[in-house]
Structures are given as C-alpha cells and as structure tokens.
C-alpha cells in the first residue's frame, strides 16, 4: 500500500487503517522519516502538513516518541504565529496530539490533559475565519470538541456541538454516532419513563442515519463507531415499536400561547435551548417548551423540612425570570417611556444607556448568582461542611486550590457533579488558564464591574483604545452575547445539579436499609393555572 503525504488541511496520512505488518512497517518508516527531516526551514504549508501528519501517525501507531516530537513542532509553529486556516488546523491537530497521553486511560474526574485539549479545540471553533474553512475541517473540530466535553461530563454542551456539525453536514457520521450514544446515556439519568422514550426515539433516528449508505465518514477507522450505532439502534428496537410511536408524532405539541408576544418569546427560548427541560436538548421540538426540570427524587429523615426541593424551586424561578428580562432587553425596539426626558452627559465614547441595557445587566447578575447558590446547595446536600462564607462555585470542589478533588465527589463517579466541576473551570480566568474559551473570558470581570464598579456598554465596537475613566468597556453586541452564554451555562448547571442529586441518591440507596426516611418525589404544579 503506498503511503502518501496529506493534502493541505487534510492531514489524513493513510487511506485505510493498519491491517498488516507490512502496512505498520511502512507507516513507522514514514514516521521516522518525518522526525528525521523535521520542519526547520520549510514553508508554512509544508510545516503544517508534516506536523499534522506526524500527529496522525503517532496516534495510530501508539508512538510516544513521535507524539512528543509532534507536540514540540506544534509549539514551534505557535511561536511562529501561524494564522488563518493553518491556525485552526493546527489547533485541531494539537488537541489530538495532547490527547495521545490520555487515550486508553481510566476515566477520572481530573483528566491530566483534557483541559488543554478543550482549550485548543475551543480556540479553533471560535477563530474569526472558522466559518470560511472547508466543511469537513469544521465538522471535525466541532465533533472532537463535543467528544472532549462529553468526557468531562458536559453532555449538554457536547450535544450542542454535534448539532452544529449536522447544520453544516447533516450526514456527518461521527456526529450522528455520538448523538445516538450520548442521548442514551442522558436518558438513563432521567427519572420519567415518558421522557426517556423520547430520548430513545431521537437516539434511534440518529443511529439509523449513522448507518445509512449516505453517512459521511472521513476516515475508515471512524467506521468502527458504526458498531456502536448498530447496537444503539438494535437495543432501542428491542424495547420500542419505533414506527408506531413515531407515527404519533410525540415530539410535537400544540402551541397554547395566549398572545403573539408569548409565542415569540417561547420560540426564542426553544431555538436557543433555554428551557429548563432535558427534552429541549433533543432539538427545537415543541415538546420541550416547558420548564419541567425539577429536583430529582430524594429522601430526607421523616418530618424534616423539604429544604432541597424548595431551594431548587427558588433558583429555578430566578433563572426563568432572568431569562425573560434578558429577552426583553435583547428585543426592545424603542426606548421605554421611563427613559424619556432623562438628561445625560454626552461623553465619548458614547455609552448605550437605557432600560433595555439595565434589564440585560439584571439578567446577567441573576444568572451569575445562580452558580454560587448551586455551590451552597451542593455543600448542604453532600454534607461537605464548608463554612457558609467560604462557599463559592469555584472553590467547592477542593479543600485547597492545589489539593485533589474532595473524596465526597471523586469516589462517586457521578457525571452530573463532574459536569458541574468542569463547568466551574469556565470561570477560572487566570492569565495561564487554558480552559476558558473566548466567550467565557471576562464573565467574572463583567459581573464584578456591574455589581461593584463601572461597566460602560457602548453601542458599537470602539475604534480607539478604551479611555482611562474607571470603566470596563464592552460593546452592546459583545455584552448581549456574553449574557446569553452565561444564561445557557446557568441552564446547564441546574440540569446537571438535578442529575447529580439523582445519581447520588441511587448510590446512597443500599446504605439506607432500616432508616426512617421520607421520599420527596418531584410533584410539579404550574404557576398561574
């Protein structure tokens, strides 16, 4: 079999996986040749191509020496300041190179390289030229990012990545396989059988698409995932009459909104995946247009107050109220009458001052406060004993910044709490932090300036350096995007919290024999009805 170098931005070293000793020998020979020749004094195209090819070969062959060399080459090209499409491809390849040390290891809360992998993939998909690069590369970046987030327990964000892939290429096989597999895992954490069935139904749809002749796989080795898709599909068909249930169209509910304003608002919540409802993670199906997520069923000593359920409901109400205020702030078409005749100083750069902006700020404050409340809740539920004034979402997980994960979390294998831990890393914004993505950077700074200092929101991007006038300056577009991003994080956190409680309750159940306990199931009632 001939060995060919990758085409620019393709970096698929071979057309098929290793099947014979001769093929392995040929690939090892190519690997040695690449390492011997290096990338010094080569054009950017050639250096990038060789670096990505060496990475691909090293992973396939399991060669640590080649991985070490590939990582060093990535760093050389980083220092060189490679830009444009090359930069995106290198970030994708670099994440794979770094992951080489993690592949095949046992899952644990703190993965030694995962934070760096996520960082480079996030940097790739947020690159200003990302929308202009070839579709296949975009799909691979998003697919791999989703896979890394899934390893961290953050399956809600992973599902969003894979849905973005299918918006680019609806038949991209790896995304379809991953959706089917993870929707089944998500369903297992859901308590209500009716909702589980809907998850299975959508998982079956994706598994069938992954197995279709039209499914696109960029590497022969990726087709190994078809086996998982086939198992998903067969398992679902063994317990569901998929054709009969699909004919009932269970994912579509009739819109009962009382007004056009309410319909527009609910549509906005649905398409932006902002309902506190796991069904909204299936896609923009109208069955997800309720905030049905409650705290998972749990037990407390008999005659104890239902403190956890009531606390969760309070946080939930704060979330949906912040969501409405954000919607109003984003969609205000005219100034509110309360802004009329309010005389302000005409300073430059001109700030955006209005009730609409203040509603976005209020939504931002409320969304941000949810995370520390989740920490306060978790401290009590897990009986960690952290003093009240020392509890924050960022410090909940360790007794000290340099200490291991608290044993109360690490020993449970609870992916709901693990997702919260990794979500908390998005708020770590030190200079050397490699987790925070561009959208996440500055979240705490903005909140701090809203709450305690001076946030200057400008109508447009300022063409000049920000003035030294005590303000943190941000454009209205940037601020609104960060507010939506923060609200989505708050939604994920509340769902992860409920799942974490449910999984912890399952873990505790065998130790409760003979105890006098009262079960607190989720028994919803609808406000305003």
């Amino acid at each position: 079999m001939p060995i060919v170098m990758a085409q620019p931005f393709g970096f698929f070293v071979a057309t098929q996986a290793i099947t014979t000793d001769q093929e392995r020998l040929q690939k090892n020979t190519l690997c040695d040749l690449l390492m011997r020749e290096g990338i010094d004094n080569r054009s950017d195209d050639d250096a990038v191509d060789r670096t990505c090819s060496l990475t691909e070969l090293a992973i396939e062959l399991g060669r640590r020496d080649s991985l070490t060399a590939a990582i060093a080459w990535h760093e050389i090209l980083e220092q060189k300041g490679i830009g444009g499409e090359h930069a995106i491809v290198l970030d994708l390849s670099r994440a794979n190179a770094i992951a080489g040390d993690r592949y095949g290891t046992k899952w644990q809360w703190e993965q030694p390289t995962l934070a760096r992998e996520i960082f480079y993939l996030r940097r790739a998909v947020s690159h200003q030229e990302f929308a202009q690069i070839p579709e296949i590369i975009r799909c691979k970046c998003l697919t791999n990012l989703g896979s890394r987030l899934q390893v961290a327990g953050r399956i809600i964000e992973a599902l969003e990545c894979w849905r973005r892939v299918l918006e680019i290429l609806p038949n991209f096989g790896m995304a379809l396989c991953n959706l089917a597999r993870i929707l089944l895992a998500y369903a297992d954490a859901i308590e209500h059988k009716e909702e589980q069935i809907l998850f299975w139904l959508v998982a079956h749809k994706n598994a069938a698409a992954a197995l279709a002749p039209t499914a696109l796989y960029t590497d022969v080795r990726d087709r190994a995932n078809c086996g998982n898709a086939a198992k998903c599909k067969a398992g679902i068909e063994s317990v569901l009459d998929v054709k009969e249930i699909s004919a009932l169209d269970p994912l579509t509910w009739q819109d009962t909104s009382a007004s056009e304003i309410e319909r527009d608002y609910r549509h906005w919540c649905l398409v932006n995946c902002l309902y506190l409802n796991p069904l909204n993670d299936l896609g923009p199906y109208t069955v997800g247009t309720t905030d049905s997520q409650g705290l998972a069923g749990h037990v407390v000593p008999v005659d104890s107050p239902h403190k956890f359920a009531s606390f969760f409901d309070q946080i939930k109400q704060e979330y949906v109220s912040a969501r409405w205020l954000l919607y109003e702030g984003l969609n205000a078409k005219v100034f509110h009458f309360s802004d009329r005749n309010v005389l302000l100083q005409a300073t430059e750069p001109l700030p955006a001052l209005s009730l609409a902006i203040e509603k976005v700020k209020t939504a931002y404050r409320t969304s941000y406060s949810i995370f520390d409340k989740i920490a306060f809740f978790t401290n009590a539920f897990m009986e960690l004993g952290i003093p009240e004034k020392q509890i924050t979402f960022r410090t909940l997980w360790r007794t000290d910044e340099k200490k291991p994960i608290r044993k109360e979390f690490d020993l449970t294998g609870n992916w709901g709490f693990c997702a919260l831990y990794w979500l908390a890393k998005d708020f770590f914004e030190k200079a050397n932090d490699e987790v925070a993505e561009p959208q996440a950077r500055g979240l705490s700074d903005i909140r701090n300036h809203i709450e305690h200092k001076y946030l200057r929101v400008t109508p447009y991007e300022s063409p000049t350096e920000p003035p030294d006038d005590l303000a943190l300056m941000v454009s209205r577009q940037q601020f609104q995007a960060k507010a939506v991003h923060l609200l989505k994080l708050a939604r994920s956190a509340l769902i992860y919290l409920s799942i974490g409680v449910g999984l912890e309750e399952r873990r505790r159940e065998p130790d409760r024999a003979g105890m006098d306990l009262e079960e607190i199931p989720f028994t919803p009632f609808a406000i305003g009805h």
Side-chain angles (χ1 to χ4, degrees):
M1 181 192 71
I3 302 296
V4 295
M5 290 298 293
Q7 297 300 312
F9 308 119
F11 56 85
F12 304 115
V13 175
T15 57
Q16 62 185 49
I18 295 172
T19 57
T20 68
D21 290 342
Q22 179 64 26
E23 289 168 358
R24 179 172 291 277
L25 178 62
Q26 288 177 321
K27 290 191 175 185
N28 270 301
T29 300
L30 177 57
C31 209
D32 292 335
L33 177 65
L34 285 169
M35 292 175 65
R36 187 165 58 251
E37 293 181 344
I39 59 172
D40 293 342
N41 302 316
R42 297 187 180 275
S43 68
D44 287 353
D45 277 5
D46 194 20
V48 170
D49 199 35
R50 286 171 173 270
T51 300
C52 294
S53 294
L54 182 63
T55 299
E56 192 80 0
L57 281 167
I59 292 171
E60 186 177 6
L61 297 168
R63 287 188 52 167
R64 298 287 178 180
D65 60 334
S66 299
L67 273 177
T68 300
I71 291 171
W73 291 4
H74 277 289
E75 183 58 31
I76 290 170
L77 295 176
E78 171 94 8
Q79 297 302 317
K80 190 176 179 181
I82 300 290
E85 293 184 20
H86 288 307
I88 298 170
V89 171
L90 283 170
D91 278 342
L92 171 60
S93 176
R94 190 172 190 173
N96 290 337
I98 293 169
D101 286 334
R102 186 175 54 80
Y103 290 150
T105 60
K106 183 180 179 181
W107 182 90
Q108 53 188 354
W109 270 58
E110 188 67 275
Q111 302 282 340
T113 66
L114 187 57
R116 293 167 61 211
E117 297 166 44
I118 291 173
F119 170 79
Y120 288 113
L121 288 167
R122 281 174 159 176
R123 191 170 72 172
V125 303
S126 63
H127 194 283
Q128 60 183 2
E129 296 184 26
F130 185 71
Q132 283 73 54
I133 66 172
E135 291 177 333
I136 292 293
I137 304 303
R138 280 186 280 157
C139 289
K140 289 180 72 68
C141 288
L142 286 164
T143 299
N144 287 7
L145 176 56
S147 297
R148 301 313 202 277
L149 290 168
Q150 177 257 312
V151 171
R154 296 182 62 177
I155 63 174
I156 293 174
E157 291 80 10
L159 293 171
E160 182 179 3
C161 286
W162 297 327
R163 284 197 299 270
R164 286 179 62 187
V165 171
L166 299 184
E167 290 173 1
I168 300 168
L169 289 175
N171 63 334
F172 197 76
M174 282 295 293
L176 291 165
C177 287
N178 289 340
L179 277 165
R181 179 173 56 89
I182 298 306
L183 285 174
L184 286 182
Y186 198 165
D188 188 55
I190 293 173
E191 294 184 326
H192 303 291
K193 188 70 173 181
E194 296 81 1
E195 292 185 356
Q196 280 188 336
I197 290 173
L198 297 181
F199 269 80
W200 296 341
L201 201 62
V202 177
H204 182 275
K205 176 183 176 181
N206 285 287
L211 296 168
T214 54
L216 173 64
Y217 292 90
T218 58
D219 192 308
V220 174
R221 286 167 292 172
D222 289 344
R223 287 196 172 274
N225 288 280
C226 289
N228 293 329
K231 290 178 182 178
C232 288
K233 184 173 180 289
I236 294 167
E237 289 173 351
S238 70
V239 294
L240 284 187
D241 187 332
V242 175
K243 186 176 293 187
E244 180 180 351
I245 294 175
S246 297
L248 299 174
D249 196 18
L251 294 168
T252 303
W253 280 8
Q254 183 178 357
D255 189 349
T256 59
S257 301
S259 66
E260 184 176 351
I261 293 175
E262 184 179 353
R263 281 192 295 275
D264 289 345
Y265 167 64
R266 297 202 174 281
H267 178 73
W268 175 79
C269 295
L270 183 66
V271 297
N272 285 284
C273 201
L274 291 171
Y275 277 107
L276 275 177
N277 186 341
L279 295 177
N280 200 181
D281 290 313
L282 297 176
Y285 298 107
T286 51
V287 71
T289 52
T290 61
D291 293 297
S292 61
Q293 180 69 58
L295 187 63
H298 56 288
V299 299
V300 298
V302 170
D303 297 328
S304 293
H306 300 174
K307 58 185 180 182
F308 296 119
S310 61
F311 188 12
F312 187 90
D313 282 352
Q314 176 60 44
I315 304 174
K316 178 177 178 177
Q317 181 60 53
E318 291 174 12
Y319 168 83
V320 298
S321 299
R323 186 180 65 196
W324 169 250
L325 287 172
L326 179 57
Y327 175 79
E328 281 196 314
L330 296 179
N331 291 279
K333 305 300 182 186
V334 297
F335 281 101
H336 191 265
F337 63 79
S338 66
D339 292 320
R340 196 178 303 140
N341 299 324
V342 178
L343 304 181
L344 301 166
Q345 187 73 29
T347 56
E348 292 292 339
L350 193 67
L353 299 170
S354 67
L355 178 62
I357 294 294
E358 295 309 312
K359 285 182 177 180
V360 177
K361 288 182 181 178
T362 299
Y364 196 102
R365 285 190 191 98
T366 303
S367 299
Y368 203 101
S369 72
I370 284 172
F371 299 99
D372 283 345
K373 290 175 181 177
I374 287 174
F376 185 78
F377 179 108
T378 306
N379 180 55
F381 181 77
M382 294 296 289
E383 300 177 343
L384 303 178
I386 305 173
E388 182 176 321
K389 293 185 178 180
Q390 297 177 22
I391 304 169
T392 73
F393 191 55
R394 290 167 55 166
T395 61
L396 174 72
W397 313 99
R398 305 173 187 273
T399 56
D400 182 82
E401 186 177 343
K402 297 181 180 179
K403 295 290 180 63
I405 304 296
R406 290 179 184 273
K407 65 180 187 302
E408 292 89 344
F409 294 118
D410 199 25
L411 298 178
T412 66
N414 186 317
W415 67 260
F417 288 148
C418 182
L420 285 174
Y421 165 69
W422 277 88
L423 194 156
K425 285 176 175 282
D426 278 357
F427 294 87
F428 292 0
E429 297 173 7
K430 300 172 186 175
N432 62 347
D433 179 38
E434 291 185 320
V435 175
E437 59 182 320
Q439 271 192 301
R441 288 196 184 279
L443 289 178
S444 59
D445 282 345
I446 288 177
R447 181 258 180 186
N448 198 29
H449 278 75
I450 291 174
E451 205 72 61
H452 307 294
K453 301 178 185 178
Y454 172 21
L455 182 74
R456 178 190 285 245
V457 180
T458 58
Y460 310 103
E461 292 284 348
S462 175
T464 60
E465 288 294 317
D468 183 15
D469 66 351
L470 306 179
L472 173 66
M473 195 162 70
V474 62
S475 73
R476 184 169 187 170
Q477 183 179 11
Q478 289 175 325
F479 179 49
Q480 290 177 341
K482 287 184 183 292
V484 172
H485 181 71
L486 185 62
L487 189 70
K488 289 172 77 75
L489 290 179
R491 173 194 181 264
S492 295
L494 285 168
I495 293 177
Y496 291 144
L497 175 62
S498 181
I499 288 172
V501 168
L503 295 176
E504 175 65 10
E505 286 294 303
R506 294 185 197 180
R507 188 190 70 82
R508 293 176 179 180
E509 189 172 0
D511 298 327
R512 287 171 166 160
M515 299 177 67
D516 195 10
L517 300 168
E518 176 185 5
E519 183 176 2
I520 310 296
F522 177 53
T523 52
F525 74 96
I527 297 174
H529 291 277

